Amino acid sequence: MTAPVHARTPLMELDLALAQLLQRVRPLSDVESVATFDADRRVLAEDLVSSLQVPPNDNSSMDGYAVRCADVSAPGVVLPVSQRIAAGHPANPLREGTCARIFTGAPMPAGADAVVMQEDTQEVGGDIHGVHIHALPQSGQWVRRAGEDVALGSVVLARGERLSPAGLGLAASLGRARLSVVVRPRVALFSTGDELVMPGDVPPEAMPPGAIYNSNRFFLRALLQRMGCEVSDLGIVPDRRDATLAALQSAADHHDLILTSGGVSVGEEDHIKPSVQQLGTLDLWQIAMKPGKPFAYGTVRRHAAPGADDQPCHFIGLPGNPVSSFVTFVLLVRPFLLALQGVRDSAARATLVPVMLPAHFDVTRADKRREFIRVRRNDAGGLDLFPNQSSGVLTSVAWADGLVDNTAGRTIAHGDLVPFVSFAEWLA
């Protein structure tokens, strides 16, 4: 009797995998107060409501002369200068028939309704200190109105906003020296495999047969830190079941996420999969993308504190090939970490809008999976292709400055417009 043929599990689309991953996230609830100076890339835990208006009063946006438009009926009018107003100093009401020398940022005097920039004036000597007004002013010209930047009581930055340098400056403009932010995700990072060697432990000329340097650990740690995580580097776990179980359990008790690379391919013999299944749950996904097909998500129960089992530690297993590991991190782990930190609209922010640029290369063999091709912008405004697109060639990522997101089954001819996403946008 012929043995039944088992159909392969269909590959999951990347967008569906991301949606399922984000459904499993519960944002961290703990918050802390940090100095505004130290809050770059942190996530706000509260709405930032303005207790003042910015600017606090009408002020000049130009160096020039504050005037009443009614006093300048035609170009060429000469007005005496009745006062000089610098930024940070009070202004007296403007007397009718006069103007005030004013500088950028200085408060507008009561009665003035416009500023004539100094390029449109000429000083007059003699018995009076005055100026010729060469241009006819319009009411409100070169005047920044009180509250036009920030209105009193307005929400300037919303809860869930990931702070940028501009956001820090905005918070400081409201007098906020400290900000309430979500705690950093605690991530345990480790590798398994007796073939792995740490740089510095063995010189290249003494590497034993089959040994490789653990490169994934370096770029994954850097990527996690750029995402605002507190990283515990647990090193290389011995390739034994008891050591793997101990590492997973210890990490779960003190972290929000365990991240590993390697050992998640279907049918691969390793200790990660059975150990995670023993300590919690594990889903293995085969994703329709290249590079990066194998991906694992699961949870590991905590035992360190009462009630800890209610919130198990997340587990994510990335493929072992370095390019696959890098690409799956930025496409899947990055949005997961944004959601874990409670970033507002994290699903939308994970979807990066590509720029259409001309390909200065050909891809004649279309892959059946959605493909992320390593490319670099050139001086001619197009994209060059790295010649070796193997998932094991980390050189392609180091050389490239972004990826072409190529639809499954699509060939590319020289000159075609293709969707390009910059690494700089992914890692912002």
Side-chain angles (χ1 to χ4, degrees), residues 384-410:
D384 292 330
L385 178 74
F386 191 80
N388 189 337
Q389 292 287 314
S390 169
S391 61
V393 179
L394 190 56
T395 311
S396 67
V397 177
W399 172 88
D401 58 12
L403 302 177
V404 167
D405 182 358
N406 195 38
T407 306
R410 181 192 176 189

Side-chain angles (χ1 to χ4, degrees), residues 49-95:
V49 180
S50 177
S51 58
L52 48 79
Q53 60 181 6
V54 181
N57 45 42
D58 293 354
N59 67 88
S60 175
S61 63
M62 281 283 181
D63 290 346
Y65 294 87
V67 300
R68 298 172 185 269
C69 288
D71 292 335
V72 187
S73 57
V77 168
V78 177
L79 295 177
V81 178
S82 58
Q83 59 179 307
R84 182 180 185 276
I85 313 169
H89 294 271
N92 297 318
L94 185 65
R95 298 198 308 267

Side-chain angles (χ1 to χ4, degrees), residues 52-60 107-108 143-152:
L52 48 79
Q53 60 181 6
V54 181
N57 45 42
D58 293 354
N59 67 88
S60 175
M108 290 290 290
V143 177
R144 290 189 292 227
R145 296 300 183 187
E148 73 173 31
D149 186 4
V150 178
L152 177 65

Side-chain angles (χ1 to χ4, degrees), residues 92-238:
N92 297 318
L94 185 65
R95 298 198 308 267
E96 290 186 25
T98 71
C99 65
R101 180 70 168 115
I102 197 167
F103 298 91
T104 302
M108 290 290 290
D113 56 6
V115 172
V116 179
M117 62 180 179
Q118 63 187 30
E119 290 87 346
D120 290 333
T121 66
Q122 184 177 2
E123 291 188 0
V124 176
D127 294 335
I128 64 167
H129 175 48
V131 291
H132 276 286
I133 307 296
H134 297 312
L136 194 66
Q138 301 294 319
S139 180
Q141 174 180 293
W142 305 122
V143 177
R144 290 189 292 227
R145 296 300 183 187
E148 73 173 31
D149 186 4
V150 178
L152 177 65
S154 64
V155 176
V156 178
L157 294 170
R159 177 182 180 180
E161 189 77 22
R162 193 167 184 232
L163 291 163
S164 65
L168 301 184
L170 188 54
S173 74
L174 305 180
R176 295 295 297 266
R178 300 189 68 82
L179 296 170
S180 179
V181 297
V182 178
V183 295
R184 296 181 183 275
R186 301 165 301 167
V187 182
L189 175 66
F190 68 84
S191 308
T192 62
D194 292 338
E195 77 280 7
L196 297 176
V197 176
M198 281 300 294
D201 290 349
V202 180
E205 63 274 11
M207 287 282 280
I212 58 172
Y213 287 120
N214 189 0
S215 60
N216 292 16
R217 180 172 164 188
F218 285 80
F219 67 72
L220 289 175
R221 178 173 174 173
L223 288 168
L224 288 167
Q225 289 172 335
R226 289 194 178 200
M227 291 300 302
C229 301
E230 289 185 1
V231 183
S232 299
D233 191 337
L234 304 186
I236 301 172
V237 175

